[in-house]
Amino acid sequence: MNEVRTAVEVQVAGLAAQRATPADLERLQQLCDDHQRSLEQGDLAAAAEFDFQFHRELTRSSGNELLLAMLDSIADVLREVRNQSMAEPHVGEDGLRAHRRILKSVVARDPTPHARQ
C-alpha cells in the first residue's frame, strides 16, 4: 500500500506545484498549522484527520479530478491507517515535517519535493 501511496503522492505534489492557486496554498498552510496545533494539544485523532485533509487538499489542488476520486474511494482505509499510526512515537511530527516540506516545494513551484527528503 505504501508503494502505491508514495507513487500517487509524488505525482499529486508535482501537479499541485504547477497548478495550485494562492487560495489552495493558504488552505494547505492552514491544515499544517491545525495539524501542528492538534499535536501540541495531544489530540491525535484530530492530527490524523488534518493529516488526511492535507493530502486531500493537495490532491484537489492538483486539478486532476480522477486522482481526487481515487483518493476519496480509499479515504476510509487511509483514515484508519492514519489513526492507528498516529499512536506511534513521532509519526505525527514526522508527517507534519513532510507536509511542510511538500508545501514549501508547492509554493516554490518545484514539482520534485521527493528529491529533497
Side-chain angles (χ1 to χ4, degrees):
M1 180 161 159
N2 278 337
E3 292 168 342
V4 171
R5 192 185 84 193
T6 299
V8 170
E9 288 177 355
V10 168
Q11 179 70 20
V12 163
L15 291 171
Q18 296 170 21
R19 301 174 179 167
T21 68
D24 295 333
L25 300 176
E26 188 175 314
R27 285 190 295 270
L28 289 164
Q29 180 63 54
Q30 185 62 54
L31 287 165
C32 284
D33 294 346
D34 291 343
H35 185 172
Q36 181 173 346
R37 194 169 18 268
S38 63
L39 288 171
E40 290 168 351
Q41 295 170 351
D43 188 346
L44 299 182
E49 182 59 23
F50 288 126
D51 183 304
F52 172 78
Q53 289 300 325
F54 178 88
H55 289 281
R56 188 174 192 290
E57 184 64 25
L58 188 69
T59 303
R60 195 196 59 69
S61 297
S62 77
N64 187 308
E65 292 298 320
L66 182 56
L67 286 170
L68 186 58
M70 287 173 48
L71 179 74
D72 285 346
S73 74
I74 59 170
D76 290 343
V77 172
L78 294 175
R79 279 187 168 107
E80 183 59 31
V81 168
R82 279 181 171 78
N83 282 330
Q84 290 175 5
S85 66
M86 201 60 69
E88 298 293 321
H90 309 291
V91 166
E93 292 84 358
D94 292 346
L96 179 58
R97 274 193 296 280
H99 291 178
R100 293 210 188 271
R101 188 172 52 247
I102 291 166
L103 178 57
K104 184 177 180 180
S105 293
V106 172
V107 167
R109 303 297 182 192
D110 178 357
T112 58
H114 60 286
R116 293 182 311 276
Q117 299 268 339

